[in-house]
């Protein structure tokens, strides 16, 4: 059993593996945790220019502190295991796994197909599970943690996005299940973002205005809001596991 000190656990030289970390929310998580002294292993799939640019940006501040891994998460379990092994080999340890990569698009009932099912379930649920399974022995050695990026629509469905919502609901249950199975050595939590960044391609101005009107705080959140929540769960939440922190400006209580 890992015993943590009473004071804040320092992040300097701890190692983070994050999926989908080259852009958007993932990139902001990388920037904040790198600024806290962490070494990063950033996974990406098709965002090579963004990944290289982010690595260059961060290593200007601290050389040899960032490694990039390209890979498709829709891959057999053994290849996901290799992704984790490569991350551990890079810096010699693993302290945090952030399952951030996500696939998001509508699948109206009557139009959805198996390719969409495999994609949405694979990236949002299957890959996080098998990455967590592969990472667990390494995280146990360091008293590390797993953080899953869920969604407020894991609890309240978004119209025409049934498969996505089911996958994120599964991710929440995975968080709770693994928190129980991996205790007391590894903490497992999730963050459920609301309206933080517009999806790509961006919706119309009318759609944006309608969405903001449903948020009690009457504004879009920022990627930094998610990044700070990730930092909290890593650095300060030593007695929190199996929980979902909702970061949505109150939207989840107004749906």
């Amino acid at each position: 059993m890992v015993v943590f000190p009473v004071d804040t656990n320092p992040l300097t030289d701890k190692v983070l593996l994050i999926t989908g970390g080259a852009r958007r929310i993932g990139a902001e998580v990388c920037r904040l945790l790198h600024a806290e002294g962490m070494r990063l292993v950033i996974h990406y799939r098709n965002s090579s220019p963004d990944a290289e640019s982010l690595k260059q940006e961060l290593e200007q501040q601290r050389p040899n502190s960032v490694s990039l891994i390209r890979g498709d998460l829709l891959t057999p379990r053994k290849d996901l295991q290799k992704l984790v092994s490569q991350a551990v080999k890079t810096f010699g340890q693993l302290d945090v796994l952030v399952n951030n990569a996500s696939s998001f698009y509508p699948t109206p009932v009557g139009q959805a197909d198996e390719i969409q099912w495999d994609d949405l379930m694979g990236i949002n649920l299957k890959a996080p599970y098998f990455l967590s399974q592969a990472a667990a022995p390494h995280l146990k050695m360091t008293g590390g943690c797993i953080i899953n990026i869920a969604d407020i629509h894991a609890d309240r469905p978004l119209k025409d996005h049934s498969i996505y919502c089911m996958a994120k609901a599964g991710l929440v249950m995975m968080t709770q299940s693994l928190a129980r199975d991996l205790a007391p050595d590894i903490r497992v939590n999730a963050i459920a973002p609301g309206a933080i960044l517009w999806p790509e391609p961006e919706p119309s101005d009318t759609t944006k205005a309608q969405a903001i009107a449903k948020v009690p705080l009457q504004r879009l959140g920022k990627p930094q809001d998610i990044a700070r929540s990730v930092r909290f769960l890593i650095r300060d939440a030593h007695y929190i596991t199996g929980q979902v922190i909702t970061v949505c400006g109150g939207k989840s209580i107004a749906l």
Side-chain angles (χ1 to χ4, degrees), residues 176-199:
Q176 297 170 345
S177 297
L178 292 188
R180 190 162 189 180
D181 291 346
L182 299 179
D185 301 298
I186 302 170
R187 294 178 296 109
V188 186
N189 291 290
I191 296 169
I196 302 296
L197 290 172
W198 300 117

Side-chain angles (χ1 to χ4, degrees), residues 17-22 26 41-44 73 83 97-101 131:
L17 168 60
I18 180 171
T19 61
V41 180
I42 303 173
H43 159 270
Y44 68 97
L73 297 183
L83 192 155
L97 168 64
V98 176
N99 287 306
N100 169 73
L131 287 170

Side-chain angles (χ1 to χ4, degrees), residues 17-56:
L17 168 60
I18 180 171
T19 61
R23 302 176 61 245
R24 294 168 65 85
I25 288 174
E28 200 57 44
V29 171
C30 289
R31 290 187 178 97
L32 181 62
L33 296 180
H34 185 268
E36 293 282 343
M38 294 191 76
R39 294 175 288 174
L40 310 182
V41 180
I42 303 173
H43 159 270
Y44 68 97
R45 181 173 61 173
N46 296 322
S47 304
S48 181
D50 296 295
E52 293 291 347
S53 177
L54 181 60
K55 179 180 180 180
Q56 182 178 11

Side-chain angles (χ1 to χ4, degrees), residues 34 40 53-67 91:
H34 185 268
L40 310 182
S53 177
L54 181 60
K55 179 180 180 180
Q56 182 178 11
E57 172 193 335
L58 298 178
E59 291 208 323
Q60 285 178 349
Q61 304 165 27
R62 199 167 71 251
N64 303 316
S65 57
V66 178
S67 177
F91 291 118

Side-chain angles (χ1 to χ4, degrees), residues 4-246:
F4 291 102
V6 174
D7 59 345
T8 300
N9 193 27
L11 299 186
T12 300
D13 288 333
K14 291 189 178 295
V15 177
L16 163 76
L17 168 60
I18 180 171
T19 61
R23 302 176 61 245
R24 294 168 65 85
I25 288 174
E28 200 57 44
V29 171
C30 289
R31 290 187 178 97
L32 181 62
L33 296 180
H34 185 268
E36 293 282 343
M38 294 191 76
R39 294 175 288 174
L40 310 182
V41 180
I42 303 173
H43 159 270
Y44 68 97
R45 181 173 61 173
N46 296 322
S47 304
S48 181
D50 296 295
E52 293 291 347
S53 177
L54 181 60
K55 179 180 180 180
Q56 182 178 11
E57 172 193 335
L58 298 178
E59 291 208 323
Q60 285 178 349
Q61 304 165 27
R62 199 167 71 251
N64 303 316
S65 57
V66 178
S67 177
L68 302 178
I69 297 179
R70 184 180 183 278
D72 187 349
L73 297 183
L74 293 176
T75 192
R77 177 174 63 92
K78 60 181 177 58
D79 292 327
L80 296 174
Q81 292 173 326
K82 289 178 182 178
L83 192 155
V84 171
S85 297
Q86 186 177 345
V88 173
K89 184 178 180 181
T90 299
F91 291 118
Q93 65 188 69
L94 183 63
D95 299 273
V96 182
L97 168 64
V98 176
N99 287 306
N100 169 73
S102 182
S103 185
F104 173 81
Y105 48 82
T107 52
V109 175
Q111 300 177 32
D113 58 37
E114 289 182 76
I115 293 175
Q116 294 170 328
W117 174 277
D118 291 342
D119 176 63
L120 289 165
M121 286 291 180
I123 292 179
N124 292 305
L125 184 56
K126 177 184 174 182
Y129 179 82
F130 285 110
L131 287 170
S132 297
Q133 179 174 265
H138 306 286
L139 295 172
K140 183 176 182 179
M141 293 175 63
T142 59
C145 65
I146 298 169
I147 300 172
N148 299 314
I149 305 300
D151 193 297
I152 59 171
H153 294 292
D155 183 55
R156 297 173 183 266
L158 178 64
K159 183 175 174 57
D160 290 334
H161 289 73
S162 58
I163 300 177
Y164 172 81
C165 293
M166 285 188 286
K168 288 297 188 180
L171 186 62
V172 169
M173 180 51 67
M174 186 193 100
T175 299
Q176 297 170 345
S177 297
L178 292 188
R180 190 162 189 180
D181 291 346
L182 299 179
D185 301 298
I186 302 170
R187 294 178 296 109
V188 186
N189 291 290
I191 296 169
I196 302 296
L197 290 172
W198 300 117
E200 297 174 332
E202 288 194 7
S204 67
D205 290 342
T206 299
T207 301
K208 289 180 181 179
Q210 291 171 344
I212 293 297
K214 296 178 182 178
V215 179
L217 292 187
Q218 293 291 289
R219 57 184 171 84
L220 205 66
K222 297 179 180 180
Q224 293 92 329
D225 296 318
I226 306 302
R228 293 186 190 107
S229 299
V230 171
R231 179 179 62 184
F232 165 73
L233 287 173
I234 298 170
R235 189 187 67 182
D236 305 316
H238 297 157
Y239 200 57
I240 297 176
T241 194
Q243 304 304 308
V244 180
I245 296 180
T246 302

